[in-house]
Amino acid sequence: MTTNQIKRYSLSQQVADQLESRIADGVYAVGEKIPTETELAEMFDVSRNTLREVIQCLTSVGILEVR
């Protein structure tokens, strides 16, 4: 009997995927500022710490640039 592998994603990875998707879909244009940390935390209903993880992750792969 073969079982399918169940993939589990961390909350920060789920939010990173959604934010990356919004950037790819043009919701946030290249070079445009994204909403503030507080606004994004409220939008995705996550803590600011989780959002900081997301920003760090997306920055490390070159999707976001922190200024």
Side-chain angles (χ1 to χ4, degrees):
M1 180 160 112
T2 305
T3 58
N4 292 333
Q5 194 81 345
I6 297 174
K7 294 183 180 182
R8 300 182 89 174
Y9 294 102
S10 67
L11 182 59
S12 60
Q13 187 59 52
Q14 291 176 46
V15 174
D17 290 345
Q18 288 184 28
L19 187 54
E20 184 178 356
S21 177
R22 289 180 185 199
I23 292 168
D25 292 344
V27 175
Y28 305 117
V30 174
E32 176 185 348
K33 285 185 178 181
I34 60 173
T36 65
E37 191 176 89
T38 305
E39 292 171 335
L40 286 170
E42 290 175 5
M43 186 183 309
F44 291 111
D45 194 27
V46 295
S47 70
R48 288 179 59 205
N49 287 333
T50 300
L51 194 65
R52 287 184 186 130
E53 277 185 53
V54 170
I55 291 169
Q56 184 178 25
C57 175
L58 294 178
T59 300
S60 70
V61 295
I63 295 172
L64 292 179
E65 181 180 303
V66 177
R67 294 185 189 178

